Amino acid sequence: MLDIREIRDNAEEVKARLATRGGDAQNLINEVLACDERRRAVETEKQQLQSERKSSSKAIGALMAQGKHDEAETAKEAVKVIGEKIKVLDTEADTVTERQNHLLMSIPNLPHANCPVGSDEADNPEIRTWGNKPEITDPLDHVALAEKHGLIDFDAAAKISGSGFAVYRGSGAKLERALINFLLDLQTEEHGYSEVNVPHIIRRYCMEGTGQLPKFEDDMYGLEDGAMFLAPTAEVPVTNLVRETLLQESELPIKMTAHTPCFRREAGSAGRDNRGIIRMHQFDKVELVQAVHPDKSFEVLEELTGHAEAALQKLGLHYRTIELCTGDIGFSATKTYDIEVWSPGQDKFLEVSSCSNFGDYQARRLRLRFKDADGKNHFCHTLNGSGTALPRLYVALIEQYQNPDGSITIPEALVPYFGKTEIA
C-alpha cells in the first residue's frame, strides 16, 4: 500500500499520478486524509484523557492516605467517567483505522515518474524486438496442430471441468513437462534463482499482501467463504515466503523461482482469444520473484526482464518487449515490461511474461523489511516476472516450429528435456 506520510506530504502529486491510471482512485485520497486526521485527533484526545486519569488516580491515593474518603469517592466517579470516554474513543479509533486501511488497500500503486502516460494497451511503447517472424505459408494454429498430433484433448477436459481447461496427452504432456524443466533449470543454473515448491492454496491475508485482494476477488477461486484461495499466480505464495521478515542488508537480494498451476475465473473475452489454450482457467507458469535493496530495484527490473527474455532466445522464438503505460499497468506495480511472443496461427503477438517492480508497495502490506549498516529498518522492494507462462509459450513454440508437412521441430535447447528432435 502507499505510505500515508507520502499522501500527507504530497497529496496533490499523489492524486495527479493516480489520475494517469484512469479510474477514480485519486478521489479516495481526500477521504484517506480525513480518516488520518480524525484518527490522530482521537489518539491525541485519548492520550490526554489517559494522562488525566493517571493524575487523578494518584490524587485518589493521596486523598485516601489523608482520610478524605468522601473526596476520594467523588474523584473515583470522575475517573470512571474518563474511562468510559476512553472506551468510546477506542471504538471510534478502531472504526476510523479500519476504514483508512480499507481505503489504502483499495488504492493502486503510483506509476513511476518515467512511466509512459497512456489510456490503454494501444499506448504501450515497443522497447525492442528479438529474432524474425518465421516465414510460414498458411500456418496452422496450435489447435489444428494439437489435433493433428494428439497433443491436447479439449473434449476430455470439458467433461471433467468445463471450458477453459485442457488435457495434455502423450507428446503433448511430455512437451509441457519438458518446457517446465527447461525453464526451471535455466533460472536456477544460469541466473541464480533458488527453486521453491509452494502450496497452491493460500490464506486471504497472503492474497492481500501481494495486492490481489480486495481489488480482484471476483477473478479468484475462493474457498471456505473467502478465507482461502487457489493460487492465481506463483507470485503470491512465493513472495509471501518472506512476509513479516526483518532481513539483514547482506541477505539481499533474495531470488526465488517456482513452478505452479495458476487458477483464474476470468478466462478472457469471447472470440479467437478464447480458442485453444491462449486463455485458460487453469494454466502452468514458472515465476521469478526478487526482494531487493530499494536503491537497486529498477536496475534489477531490467535484469529480471532479461532473465525471462533469455528463455525465448534460447528457444529461438521471435518476440517483442513493450513497456506498459499508466493506463495499462497492474494494480500493485510502479513499472512493468510485458514480453509478447509471436503466434503465426493467430497472426499477432501474445503476452507470455509480465515483469514488474512494485517498489515498497507489497513490502508495506507484507511487513518485509531489512536492517541497514546503521541499524535502521527499511522496507524492501519486491519484483516478479513470469519466466514464463506455459500455454502461450507452448502455442508459440509449436506454431513457429511447424513444418510444411505438419511436423513440429523441437528447438535444440529443448531436445535434452523432450528426448526427440521433432513431433512427426
Side-chain angles (χ1 to χ4, degrees), residues 21 111-112 114-127 321-331 333-340 351 353-356:
R21 280 179 165 272
H112 187 266
N114 293 331
C115 187
V117 176
S119 301
D120 53 35
E121 62 183 13
D123 296 321
N124 294 336
E126 183 177 281
I127 304 300
T321 301
I322 62 174
E323 182 174 359
L324 299 194
C325 69
T326 55
D328 198 31
I329 197 169
F331 183 83
T334 184
K335 185 179 178 69
T336 297
Y337 294 113
D338 273 5
I339 305 169
E340 300 180 339
E351 179 199 330
S353 175
S354 190
C355 301
S356 298

PDB file of all heavy atoms in Angstrom, residues 21 111-112 114-127 321-331 333-340 351 353-356:
ATOM      1  N   ARG A  21      -3.665   6.758 -14.257  1.00  0.00           N
ATOM      2  CA  ARG A  21      -4.057   5.366 -14.401  1.00  0.00           C
ATOM      3  C   ARG A  21      -5.461   5.230 -15.013  1.00  0.00           C
ATOM      4  O   ARG A  21      -5.841   4.160 -15.466  1.00  0.00           O
ATOM      5  CB  ARG A  21      -4.088   4.672 -13.032  1.00  0.00           C
ATOM      6  CG  ARG A  21      -2.726   4.238 -12.509  1.00  0.00           C
ATOM      7  CD  ARG A  21      -2.896   3.584 -11.141  1.00  0.00           C
ATOM      8  NE  ARG A  21      -1.716   2.834 -10.729  1.00  0.00           N
ATOM      9  CZ  ARG A  21      -1.493   1.566 -11.021  1.00  0.00           C
ATOM     10  NH1 ARG A  21      -2.373   0.897 -11.748  1.00  0.00           N
ATOM     11  NH2 ARG A  21      -0.400   0.950 -10.605  1.00  0.00           N
ATOM     12  N   PRO A 111       2.233   4.995 -10.471  1.00  0.00           N
ATOM     13  CA  PRO A 111       3.118   4.732 -11.604  1.00  0.00           C
ATOM     14  C   PRO A 111       4.428   5.492 -11.434  1.00  0.00           C
ATOM     15  O   PRO A 111       4.440   6.621 -10.912  1.00  0.00           O
ATOM     16  CB  PRO A 111       2.327   5.275 -12.808  1.00  0.00           C
ATOM     17  CG  PRO A 111       0.905   5.306 -12.357  1.00  0.00           C
ATOM     18  CD  PRO A 111       0.958   5.593 -10.883  1.00  0.00           C
ATOM     19  N   HIS A 112       5.515   4.880 -11.842  1.00  0.00           N
ATOM     20  CA  HIS A 112       6.814   5.548 -11.770  1.00  0.00           C
ATOM     21  C   HIS A 112       6.766   6.857 -12.556  1.00  0.00           C
ATOM     22  O   HIS A 112       6.033   6.976 -13.546  1.00  0.00           O
ATOM     23  CB  HIS A 112       7.897   4.626 -12.330  1.00  0.00           C
ATOM     24  CG  HIS A 112       9.277   5.135 -12.145  1.00  0.00           C
ATOM     25  ND1 HIS A 112       9.948   5.869 -13.099  1.00  0.00           N
ATOM     26  CD2 HIS A 112      10.135   5.030 -11.091  1.00  0.00           C
ATOM     27  CE1 HIS A 112      11.147   6.181 -12.660  1.00  0.00           C
ATOM     28  NE2 HIS A 112      11.292   5.680 -11.445  1.00  0.00           N
ATOM     29  N   ASN A 114       8.654   8.054 -14.636  1.00  0.00           N
ATOM     30  CA  ASN A 114       9.019   7.912 -16.049  1.00  0.00           C
ATOM     31  C   ASN A 114       8.131   6.939 -16.812  1.00  0.00           C
ATOM     32  O   ASN A 114       8.384   6.651 -17.984  1.00  0.00           O
ATOM     33  CB  ASN A 114      10.477   7.448 -16.159  1.00  0.00           C
ATOM     34  CG  ASN A 114      11.444   8.510 -15.664  1.00  0.00           C
ATOM     35  OD1 ASN A 114      11.150   9.698 -15.735  1.00  0.00           O
ATOM     36  ND2 ASN A 114      12.591   8.086 -15.149  1.00  0.00           N
ATOM     37  N   CYS A 115       7.102   6.425 -16.161  1.00  0.00           N
ATOM     38  CA  CYS A 115       6.180   5.500 -16.829  1.00  0.00           C
ATOM     39  C   CYS A 115       5.448   6.245 -17.939  1.00  0.00           C
ATOM     40  O   CYS A 115       4.932   7.343 -17.724  1.00  0.00           O
ATOM     41  CB  CYS A 115       5.173   4.969 -15.811  1.00  0.00           C
ATOM     42  SG  CYS A 115       4.103   3.661 -16.427  1.00  0.00           S
ATOM     43  N   PRO A 116       5.404   5.695 -19.161  1.00  0.00           N
ATOM     44  CA  PRO A 116       4.715   6.397 -20.246  1.00  0.00           C
ATOM     45  C   PRO A 116       3.238   6.600 -19.910  1.00  0.00           C
ATOM     46  O   PRO A 116       2.568   5.679 -19.448  1.00  0.00           O
ATOM     47  CB  PRO A 116       4.886   5.461 -21.445  1.00  0.00           C
ATOM     48  CG  PRO A 116       5.244   4.136 -20.873  1.00  0.00           C
ATOM     49  CD  PRO A 116       5.971   4.406 -19.601  1.00  0.00           C
ATOM     50  N   VAL A 117       2.746   7.797 -20.133  1.00  0.00           N
ATOM     51  CA  VAL A 117       1.354   8.109 -19.835  1.00  0.00           C
ATOM     52  C   VAL A 117       0.481   7.684 -21.010  1.00  0.00           C
ATOM     53  O   VAL A 117       0.789   7.974 -22.168  1.00  0.00           O
ATOM     54  CB  VAL A 117       1.179   9.613 -19.556  1.00  0.00           C
ATOM     55  CG1 VAL A 117      -0.296   9.964 -19.336  1.00  0.00           C
ATOM     56  CG2 VAL A 117       2.005  10.024 -18.340  1.00  0.00           C
ATOM     57  N   GLY A 118      -0.580   6.951 -20.720  1.00  0.00           N
ATOM     58  CA  GLY A 118      -1.484   6.494 -21.761  1.00  0.00           C
ATOM     59  C   GLY A 118      -2.751   5.938 -21.176  1.00  0.00           C
ATOM     60  O   GLY A 118      -2.869   5.768 -19.955  1.00  0.00           O
ATOM     61  N   SER A 119      -3.711   5.646 -22.051  1.00  0.00           N
ATOM     62  CA  SER A 119      -5.028   5.197 -21.600  1.00  0.00           C
ATOM     63  C   SER A 119      -5.156   3.685 -21.528  1.00  0.00           C
ATOM     64  O   SER A 119      -5.803   3.159 -20.622  1.00  0.00           O
ATOM     65  CB  SER A 119      -6.111   5.750 -22.532  1.00  0.00           C
ATOM     66  OG  SER A 119      -6.080   7.159 -22.559  1.00  0.00           O
ATOM     67  N   ASP A 120      -4.570   2.981 -22.495  1.00  0.00           N
ATOM     68  CA  ASP A 120      -4.747   1.529 -22.549  1.00  0.00           C
ATOM     69  C   ASP A 120      -3.597   0.910 -23.328  1.00  0.00           C
ATOM     70  O   ASP A 120      -2.601   1.586 -23.638  1.00  0.00           O
ATOM     71  CB  ASP A 120      -6.092   1.167 -23.175  1.00  0.00           C
ATOM     72  CG  ASP A 120      -6.308   1.819 -24.535  1.00  0.00           C
ATOM     73  OD1 ASP A 120      -5.328   1.971 -25.297  1.00  0.00           O
ATOM     74  OD2 ASP A 120      -7.461   2.172 -24.841  1.00  0.00           O
ATOM     75  N   GLU A 121      -3.736  -0.389 -23.665  1.00  0.00           N
ATOM     76  CA  GLU A 121      -2.637  -1.122 -24.292  1.00  0.00           C
ATOM     77  C   GLU A 121      -2.201  -0.528 -25.631  1.00  0.00           C
ATOM     78  O   GLU A 121      -1.061  -0.735 -26.055  1.00  0.00           O
ATOM     79  CB  GLU A 121      -3.029  -2.579 -24.474  1.00  0.00           C
ATOM     80  CG  GLU A 121      -4.226  -2.805 -25.367  1.00  0.00           C
ATOM     81  CD  GLU A 121      -4.618  -4.263 -25.466  1.00  0.00           C
ATOM     82  OE1 GLU A 121      -4.137  -5.067 -24.661  1.00  0.00           O
ATOM     83  OE2 GLU A 121      -5.419  -4.590 -26.366  1.00  0.00           O
ATOM     84  N   ALA A 122      -3.074   0.228 -26.278  1.00  0.00           N
ATOM     85  CA  ALA A 122      -2.705   0.854 -27.552  1.00  0.00           C
ATOM     86  C   ALA A 122      -1.608   1.893 -27.372  1.00  0.00           C
ATOM     87  O   ALA A 122      -0.914   2.258 -28.335  1.00  0.00           O
ATOM     88  CB  ALA A 122      -3.926   1.492 -28.202  1.00  0.00           C
ATOM     89  N   ASP A 123      -1.428   2.358 -26.139  1.00  0.00           N
ATOM     90  CA  ASP A 123      -0.430   3.396 -25.860  1.00  0.00           C
ATOM     91  C   ASP A 123       0.867   2.830 -25.283  1.00  0.00           C
ATOM     92  O   ASP A 123       1.732   3.590 -24.842  1.00  0.00           O
ATOM     93  CB  ASP A 123      -1.013   4.429 -24.882  1.00  0.00           C
ATOM     94  CG  ASP A 123      -2.198   5.177 -25.463  1.00  0.00           C
ATOM     95  OD1 ASP A 123      -2.147   5.502 -26.656  1.00  0.00           O
ATOM     96  OD2 ASP A 123      -3.165   5.429 -24.720  1.00  0.00           O
ATOM     97  N   ASN A 124       1.028   1.506 -25.289  1.00  0.00           N
ATOM     98  CA  ASN A 124       2.244   0.896 -24.761  1.00  0.00           C
ATOM     99  C   ASN A 124       3.363   0.947 -25.800  1.00  0.00           C
ATOM    100  O   ASN A 124       3.225   0.371 -26.885  1.00  0.00           O
ATOM    101  CB  ASN A 124       1.991  -0.570 -24.389  1.00  0.00           C
ATOM    102  CG  ASN A 124       1.014  -0.724 -23.243  1.00  0.00           C
ATOM    103  OD1 ASN A 124       0.842   0.184 -22.445  1.00  0.00           O
ATOM    104  ND2 ASN A 124       0.366  -1.880 -23.170  1.00  0.00           N
ATOM    105  N   PRO A 125       4.471   1.610 -25.510  1.00  0.00           N
ATOM    106  CA  PRO A 125       5.564   1.691 -26.494  1.00  0.00           C
ATOM    107  C   PRO A 125       6.352   0.389 -26.589  1.00  0.00           C
ATOM    108  O   PRO A 125       6.566  -0.295 -25.590  1.00  0.00           O
ATOM    109  CB  PRO A 125       6.447   2.817 -25.941  1.00  0.00           C
ATOM    110  CG  PRO A 125       6.185   2.816 -24.472  1.00  0.00           C
ATOM    111  CD  PRO A 125       4.754   2.408 -24.297  1.00  0.00           C
ATOM    112  N   GLU A 126       6.769   0.060 -27.796  1.00  0.00           N
ATOM    113  CA  GLU A 126       7.634  -1.101 -28.009  1.00  0.00           C
ATOM    114  C   GLU A 126       9.063  -0.718 -27.652  1.00  0.00           C
ATOM    115  O   GLU A 126       9.588   0.282 -28.116  1.00  0.00           O
ATOM    116  CB  GLU A 126       7.540  -1.552 -29.459  1.00  0.00           C
ATOM    117  CG  GLU A 126       8.349  -2.804 -29.769  1.00  0.00           C
ATOM    118  CD  GLU A 126       8.160  -3.263 -31.208  1.00  0.00           C
ATOM    119  OE1 GLU A 126       7.125  -3.884 -31.494  1.00  0.00           O
ATOM    120  OE2 GLU A 126       9.045  -2.956 -32.042  1.00  0.00           O
ATOM    121  N   ILE A 127       9.709  -1.531 -26.833  1.00  0.00           N
ATOM    122  CA  ILE A 127      11.072  -1.260 -26.380  1.00  0.00           C
ATOM    123  C   ILE A 127      12.101  -1.935 -27.280  1.00  0.00           C
ATOM    124  O   ILE A 127      13.109  -1.350 -27.666  1.00  0.00           O
ATOM    125  CB  ILE A 127      11.266  -1.732 -24.923  1.00  0.00           C
ATOM    126  CG1 ILE A 127      10.234  -1.073 -23.997  1.00  0.00           C
ATOM    127  CG2 ILE A 127      12.687  -1.429 -24.443  1.00  0.00           C
ATOM    128  CD1 ILE A 127      10.289   0.432 -23.971  1.00  0.00           C
ATOM    129  N   THR A 321       9.329  -6.790 -26.651  1.00  0.00           N
ATOM    130  CA  THR A 321       9.151  -6.316 -25.277  1.00  0.00           C
ATOM    131  C   THR A 321       8.567  -4.923 -25.332  1.00  0.00           C
ATOM    132  O   THR A 321       9.069  -4.052 -26.053  1.00  0.00           O
ATOM    133  CB  THR A 321      10.502  -6.307 -24.526  1.00  0.00           C
ATOM    134  OG1 THR A 321      11.035  -7.636 -24.517  1.00  0.00           O
ATOM    135  CG2 THR A 321      10.311  -5.835 -23.086  1.00  0.00           C
ATOM    136  N   ILE A 322       7.492  -4.713 -24.569  1.00  0.00           N
ATOM    137  CA  ILE A 322       6.850  -3.406 -24.506  1.00  0.00           C
ATOM    138  C   ILE A 322       6.847  -2.923 -23.058  1.00  0.00           C
ATOM    139  O   ILE A 322       6.979  -3.719 -22.123  1.00  0.00           O
ATOM    140  CB  ILE A 322       5.403  -3.456 -25.046  1.00  0.00           C
ATOM    141  CG1 ILE A 322       4.543  -4.389 -24.183  1.00  0.00           C
ATOM    142  CG2 ILE A 322       5.384  -3.900 -26.501  1.00  0.00           C
ATOM    143  CD1 ILE A 322       3.080  -4.377 -24.555  1.00  0.00           C
ATOM    144  N   GLU A 323       6.712  -1.617 -22.878  1.00  0.00           N
ATOM    145  CA  GLU A 323       6.536  -1.062 -21.538  1.00  0.00           C
ATOM    146  C   GLU A 323       5.078  -0.655 -21.371  1.00  0.00           C
ATOM    147  O   GLU A 323       4.494  -0.027 -22.262  1.00  0.00           O
ATOM    148  CB  GLU A 323       7.440   0.147 -21.300  1.00  0.00           C
ATOM    149  CG  GLU A 323       7.294   0.703 -19.885  1.00  0.00           C
ATOM    150  CD  GLU A 323       8.271   1.823 -19.550  1.00  0.00           C
ATOM    151  OE1 GLU A 323       9.101   2.167 -20.415  1.00  0.00           O
ATOM    152  OE2 GLU A 323       8.194   2.352 -18.419  1.00  0.00           O
ATOM    153  N   LEU A 324       4.496  -1.003 -20.256  1.00  0.00           N
ATOM    154  CA  LEU A 324       3.094  -0.680 -20.026  1.00  0.00           C
ATOM    155  C   LEU A 324       2.937   0.784 -19.637  1.00  0.00           C
ATOM    156  O   LEU A 324       3.687   1.302 -18.796  1.00  0.00           O
ATOM    157  CB  LEU A 324       2.494  -1.573 -18.942  1.00  0.00           C
ATOM    158  CG  LEU A 324       2.483  -3.077 -19.209  1.00  0.00           C
ATOM    159  CD1 LEU A 324       1.563  -3.777 -18.219  1.00  0.00           C
ATOM    160  CD2 LEU A 324       2.082  -3.389 -20.636  1.00  0.00           C
ATOM    161  N   CYS A 325       1.950   1.423 -20.238  1.00  0.00           N
ATOM    162  CA  CYS A 325       1.651   2.820 -19.914  1.00  0.00           C
ATOM    163  C   CYS A 325       0.850   2.890 -18.622  1.00  0.00           C
ATOM    164  O   CYS A 325       0.409   1.871 -18.076  1.00  0.00           O
ATOM    165  CB  CYS A 325       0.898   3.482 -21.065  1.00  0.00           C
ATOM    166  SG  CYS A 325      -0.778   2.861 -21.294  1.00  0.00           S
ATOM    167  N   THR A 326       0.645   4.096 -18.133  1.00  0.00           N
ATOM    168  CA  THR A 326      -0.029   4.300 -16.849  1.00  0.00           C
ATOM    169  C   THR A 326      -1.435   3.723 -16.834  1.00  0.00           C
ATOM    170  O   THR A 326      -1.916   3.262 -15.793  1.00  0.00           O
ATOM    171  CB  THR A 326      -0.087   5.791 -16.514  1.00  0.00           C
ATOM    172  OG1 THR A 326      -0.707   6.493 -17.611  1.00  0.00           O
ATOM    173  CG2 THR A 326       1.304   6.364 -16.278  1.00  0.00           C
ATOM    174  N   GLY A 327      -2.123   3.730 -17.975  1.00  0.00           N
ATOM    175  CA  GLY A 327      -3.486   3.228 -18.023  1.00  0.00           C
ATOM    176  C   GLY A 327      -3.590   1.727 -18.132  1.00  0.00           C
ATOM    177  O   GLY A 327      -4.690   1.170 -18.032  1.00  0.00           O
ATOM    178  N   ASP A 328      -2.452   1.042 -18.311  1.00  0.00           N
ATOM    179  CA  ASP A 328      -2.466  -0.413 -18.515  1.00  0.00           C
ATOM    180  C   ASP A 328      -1.671  -1.158 -17.457  1.00  0.00           C
ATOM    181  O   ASP A 328      -1.745  -2.382 -17.371  1.00  0.00           O
ATOM    182  CB  ASP A 328      -1.905  -0.739 -19.912  1.00  0.00           C
ATOM    183  CG  ASP A 328      -2.270  -2.130 -20.391  1.00  0.00           C
ATOM    184  OD1 ASP A 328      -3.352  -2.626 -20.025  1.00  0.00           O
ATOM    185  OD2 ASP A 328      -1.472  -2.726 -21.139  1.00  0.00           O
ATOM    186  N   ILE A 329      -0.932  -0.437 -16.641  1.00  0.00           N
ATOM    187  CA  ILE A 329      -0.062  -1.060 -15.654  1.00  0.00           C
ATOM    188  C   ILE A 329      -0.893  -1.733 -14.554  1.00  0.00           C
ATOM    189  O   ILE A 329      -2.002  -1.301 -14.239  1.00  0.00           O
ATOM    190  CB  ILE A 329       0.900  -0.008 -15.057  1.00  0.00           C
ATOM    191  CG1 ILE A 329       2.084  -0.676 -14.353  1.00  0.00           C
ATOM    192  CG2 ILE A 329       0.169   0.948 -14.127  1.00  0.00           C
ATOM    193  CD1 ILE A 329       3.177   0.287 -13.981  1.00  0.00           C
ATOM    194  N   GLY A 330      -0.363  -2.816 -13.984  1.00  0.00           N
ATOM    195  CA  GLY A 330      -1.077  -3.578 -12.972  1.00  0.00           C
ATOM    196  C   GLY A 330      -1.285  -2.797 -11.683  1.00  0.00           C
ATOM    197  O   GLY A 330      -0.588  -1.821 -11.390  1.00  0.00           O
ATOM    198  N   PHE A 331      -2.224  -3.262 -10.873  1.00  0.00           N
ATOM    199  CA  PHE A 331      -2.664  -2.582  -9.654  1.00  0.00           C
ATOM    200  C   PHE A 331      -1.499  -2.280  -8.703  1.00  0.00           C
ATOM    201  O   PHE A 331      -1.392  -1.175  -8.172  1.00  0.00           O
ATOM    202  CB  PHE A 331      -3.705  -3.447  -8.944  1.00  0.00           C
ATOM    203  CG  PHE A 331      -4.297  -2.834  -7.707  1.00  0.00           C
ATOM    204  CD1 PHE A 331      -5.345  -1.941  -7.782  1.00  0.00           C
ATOM    205  CD2 PHE A 331      -3.806  -3.170  -6.449  1.00  0.00           C
ATOM    206  CE1 PHE A 331      -5.897  -1.380  -6.635  1.00  0.00           C
ATOM    207  CE2 PHE A 331      -4.341  -2.626  -5.297  1.00  0.00           C
ATOM    208  CZ  PHE A 331      -5.399  -1.729  -5.399  1.00  0.00           C
ATOM    209  N   ALA A 333       1.853  -2.534  -9.345  1.00  0.00           N
ATOM    210  CA  ALA A 333       3.142  -2.227  -9.987  1.00  0.00           C
ATOM    211  C   ALA A 333       3.371  -0.735 -10.121  1.00  0.00           C
ATOM    212  O   ALA A 333       2.440   0.058 -10.263  1.00  0.00           O
ATOM    213  CB  ALA A 333       3.209  -2.880 -11.359  1.00  0.00           C
ATOM    214  N   THR A 334       4.658  -0.364 -10.114  1.00  0.00           N
ATOM    215  CA  THR A 334       5.037   1.013 -10.415  1.00  0.00           C
ATOM    216  C   THR A 334       5.683   1.114 -11.806  1.00  0.00           C
ATOM    217  O   THR A 334       5.689   2.170 -12.415  1.00  0.00           O
ATOM    218  CB  THR A 334       5.994   1.572  -9.344  1.00  0.00           C
ATOM    219  OG1 THR A 334       6.265   2.953  -9.614  1.00  0.00           O
ATOM    220  CG2 THR A 334       7.303   0.816  -9.278  1.00  0.00           C
ATOM    221  N   LYS A 335       6.220  -0.012 -12.304  1.00  0.00           N
ATOM    222  CA  LYS A 335       6.808  -0.052 -13.644  1.00  0.00           C
ATOM    223  C   LYS A 335       6.771  -1.492 -14.133  1.00  0.00           C
ATOM    224  O   LYS A 335       7.118  -2.408 -13.380  1.00  0.00           O
ATOM    225  CB  LYS A 335       8.243   0.466 -13.624  1.00  0.00           C
ATOM    226  CG  LYS A 335       8.931   0.575 -14.995  1.00  0.00           C
ATOM    227  CD  LYS A 335      10.338   1.115 -14.838  1.00  0.00           C
ATOM    228  CE  LYS A 335      11.101   1.207 -16.158  1.00  0.00           C
ATOM    229  NZ  LYS A 335      10.555   2.258 -17.045  1.00  0.00           N
ATOM    230  N   THR A 336       6.364  -1.693 -15.397  1.00  0.00           N
ATOM    231  CA  THR A 336       6.179  -3.047 -15.915  1.00  0.00           C
ATOM    232  C   THR A 336       6.608  -3.150 -17.376  1.00  0.00           C
ATOM    233  O   THR A 336       6.311  -2.267 -18.185  1.00  0.00           O
ATOM    234  CB  THR A 336       4.700  -3.488 -15.812  1.00  0.00           C
ATOM    235  OG1 THR A 336       4.312  -3.527 -14.443  1.00  0.00           O
ATOM    236  CG2 THR A 336       4.486  -4.858 -16.442  1.00  0.00           C
ATOM    237  N   TYR A 337       7.287  -4.251 -17.687  1.00  0.00           N
ATOM    238  CA  TYR A 337       7.548  -4.644 -19.068  1.00  0.00           C
ATOM    239  C   TYR A 337       6.746  -5.911 -19.365  1.00  0.00           C
ATOM    240  O   TYR A 337       6.730  -6.851 -18.551  1.00  0.00           O
ATOM    241  CB  TYR A 337       9.031  -4.944 -19.295  1.00  0.00           C
ATOM    242  CG  TYR A 337       9.952  -3.771 -19.157  1.00  0.00           C
ATOM    243  CD1 TYR A 337      10.882  -3.711 -18.121  1.00  0.00           C
ATOM    244  CD2 TYR A 337       9.908  -2.719 -20.063  1.00  0.00           C
ATOM    245  CE1 TYR A 337      11.749  -2.636 -18.000  1.00  0.00           C
ATOM    246  CE2 TYR A 337      10.765  -1.629 -19.946  1.00  0.00           C
ATOM    247  CZ  TYR A 337      11.679  -1.594 -18.906  1.00  0.00           C
ATOM    248  OH  TYR A 337      12.522  -0.516 -18.782  1.00  0.00           O
ATOM    249  N   ASP A 338       6.095  -5.958 -20.494  1.00  0.00           N
ATOM    250  CA  ASP A 338       5.466  -7.184 -20.976  1.00  0.00           C
ATOM    251  C   ASP A 338       6.288  -7.746 -22.126  1.00  0.00           C
ATOM    252  O   ASP A 338       6.764  -6.988 -22.985  1.00  0.00           O
ATOM    253  CB  ASP A 338       4.049  -6.923 -21.477  1.00  0.00           C
ATOM    254  CG  ASP A 338       3.013  -7.008 -20.364  1.00  0.00           C
ATOM    255  OD1 ASP A 338       3.403  -7.170 -19.185  1.00  0.00           O
ATOM    256  OD2 ASP A 338       1.802  -6.897 -20.671  1.00  0.00           O
ATOM    257  N   ILE A 339       6.456  -9.058 -22.139  1.00  0.00           N
ATOM    258  CA  ILE A 339       7.132  -9.748 -23.227  1.00  0.00           C
ATOM    259  C   ILE A 339       6.068 -10.498 -24.020  1.00  0.00           C
ATOM    260  O   ILE A 339       5.286 -11.274 -23.444  1.00  0.00           O
ATOM    261  CB  ILE A 339       8.195 -10.722 -22.696  1.00  0.00           C
ATOM    262  CG1 ILE A 339       9.188  -9.982 -21.789  1.00  0.00           C
ATOM    263  CG2 ILE A 339       8.940 -11.398 -23.846  1.00  0.00           C
ATOM    264  CD1 ILE A 339      10.116 -10.905 -21.012  1.00  0.00           C
ATOM    265  N   GLU A 340       6.018 -10.253 -25.311  1.00  0.00           N
ATOM    266  CA  GLU A 340       4.992 -10.841 -26.165  1.00  0.00           C
ATOM    267  C   GLU A 340       5.655 -11.682 -27.250  1.00  0.00           C
ATOM    268  O   GLU A 340       6.520 -11.196 -27.993  1.00  0.00           O
ATOM    269  CB  GLU A 340       4.134  -9.755 -26.804  1.00  0.00           C
ATOM    270  CG  GLU A 340       3.415  -8.879 -25.781  1.00  0.00           C
ATOM    271  CD  GLU A 340       2.570  -7.795 -26.423  1.00  0.00           C
ATOM    272  OE1 GLU A 340       2.838  -7.447 -27.600  1.00  0.00           O
ATOM    273  OE2 GLU A 340       1.651  -7.299 -25.748  1.00  0.00           O
ATOM    274  N   GLU A 351       1.028 -12.078 -25.061  1.00  0.00           N
ATOM    275  CA  GLU A 351       1.785 -11.850 -23.833  1.00  0.00           C
ATOM    276  C   GLU A 351       2.146 -13.183 -23.193  1.00  0.00           C
ATOM    277  O   GLU A 351       1.290 -14.037 -22.961  1.00  0.00           O
ATOM    278  CB  GLU A 351       0.965 -11.023 -22.844  1.00  0.00           C
ATOM    279  CG  GLU A 351       1.685 -10.772 -21.529  1.00  0.00           C
ATOM    280  CD  GLU A 351       0.741 -10.378 -20.403  1.00  0.00           C
ATOM    281  OE1 GLU A 351      -0.309  -9.759 -20.695  1.00  0.00           O
ATOM    282  OE2 GLU A 351       1.041 -10.718 -19.248  1.00  0.00           O
ATOM    283  N   SER A 353       4.889 -13.025 -20.682  1.00  0.00           N
ATOM    284  CA  SER A 353       5.521 -12.660 -19.413  1.00  0.00           C
ATOM    285  C   SER A 353       5.244 -11.202 -19.104  1.00  0.00           C
ATOM    286  O   SER A 353       5.211 -10.358 -20.005  1.00  0.00           O
ATOM    287  CB  SER A 353       7.042 -12.876 -19.477  1.00  0.00           C
ATOM    288  OG  SER A 353       7.673 -12.426 -18.288  1.00  0.00           O
ATOM    289  N   SER A 354       5.018 -10.934 -17.826  1.00  0.00           N
ATOM    290  CA  SER A 354       4.883  -9.562 -17.347  1.00  0.00           C
ATOM    291  C   SER A 354       5.862  -9.395 -16.192  1.00  0.00           C
ATOM    292  O   SER A 354       5.793 -10.137 -15.204  1.00  0.00           O
ATOM    293  CB  SER A 354       3.443  -9.308 -16.874  1.00  0.00           C
ATOM    294  OG  SER A 354       3.220  -7.950 -16.611  1.00  0.00           O
ATOM    295  N   CYS A 355       6.800  -8.465 -16.324  1.00  0.00           N
ATOM    296  CA  CYS A 355       7.865  -8.268 -15.332  1.00  0.00           C
ATOM    297  C   CYS A 355       7.692  -6.912 -14.667  1.00  0.00           C
ATOM    298  O   CYS A 355       7.730  -5.881 -15.346  1.00  0.00           O
ATOM    299  CB  CYS A 355       9.234  -8.354 -15.999  1.00  0.00           C
ATOM    300  SG  CYS A 355       9.537  -9.936 -16.821  1.00  0.00           S
ATOM    301  N   SER A 356       7.497  -6.911 -13.352  1.00  0.00           N
ATOM    302  CA  SER A 356       7.112  -5.681 -12.656  1.00  0.00           C
ATOM    303  C   SER A 356       7.982  -5.392 -11.448  1.00  0.00           C
ATOM    304  O   SER A 356       8.428  -6.298 -10.739  1.00  0.00           O
ATOM    305  CB  SER A 356       5.651  -5.782 -12.187  1.00  0.00           C
ATOM    306  OG  SER A 356       4.772  -5.929 -13.269  1.00  0.00           O
TER     307      SER A 356
END
